[in-house]
Amino acid sequence: MLYTICIALILVASVLVILAVLVQNPKSGMAANFGASNQVMGVRETSNFLEKFTWAMAVAIVVLSLAATLAMDKGLVAESNTEISKDAKALQERVLESEIPAPMPQAEIPAAEQPAADQSAE
């Protein structure tokens, strides 16, 4: 139950981070040339709030992720791990069975008698 609540809160916080980042004014690039008008109209405080809100949501996502990990059902995790290890072993066996060892390349070693035979022919 706690795991489901944590996942739902992580999703909500993620959407809020996306929205907060999209609303923020860029601090560099072409839009920075027109930044003076924003400071006159009082948008500066809004950007500080959005930056703090973004950091708060990022920290909330990390904390909720850790809480969700701790809240996971240990029995389901252990069962899942055994199934994964069985699948991995079956895959390894299938790969080993289908692997045909490549023949080892043979190097040709010249016989010691051939150069002597070539010299006697001349």
Side-chain angles (χ1 to χ4, degrees):
M1 177 72 179
L2 180 64
Y3 178 74
T4 307
I5 293 171
C6 286
I7 295 299
L9 290 175
I10 289 170
L11 289 173
V12 169
S14 299
V15 170
L16 290 175
V17 166
I18 291 170
L19 293 175
V21 168
L22 289 175
V23 170
Q24 288 180 16
N25 291 327
K27 293 180 176 50
S28 64
M30 191 170 171
N33 298 333
F34 305 106
S37 65
N38 288 343
Q39 292 175 0
V40 173
M41 296 180 198
V43 180
R44 187 174 193 183
E45 293 299 319
T46 305
S47 65
N48 286 342
F49 169 74
L50 286 174
E51 185 174 349
K52 290 178 183 177
F53 181 75
T54 303
W55 280 106
M57 287 296 107
V59 169
I61 290 172
V62 170
V63 170
L64 287 170
S65 298
L66 292 173
T69 303
L70 294 174
M72 292 172 94
D73 185 17
K74 307 296 185 223
L76 291 176
V77 172
E79 182 180 327
S80 174
N81 286 342
T82 57
E83 290 177 11
I84 290 172
S85 64
K86 286 179 186 177
D87 291 343
K89 287 179 184 177
L91 182 63
Q92 287 175 347
E93 290 174 1
R94 190 178 330 152
V95 167
L96 290 175
E97 290 173 0
S98 67
E99 227 177 61
I100 299 172
M104 193 118 184
Q106 299 291 326
E108 293 184 23
I109 301 173
E113 299 168 6
Q114 286 181 348
D118 290 340
Q119 289 175 356
S120 63
E122 292 178 3

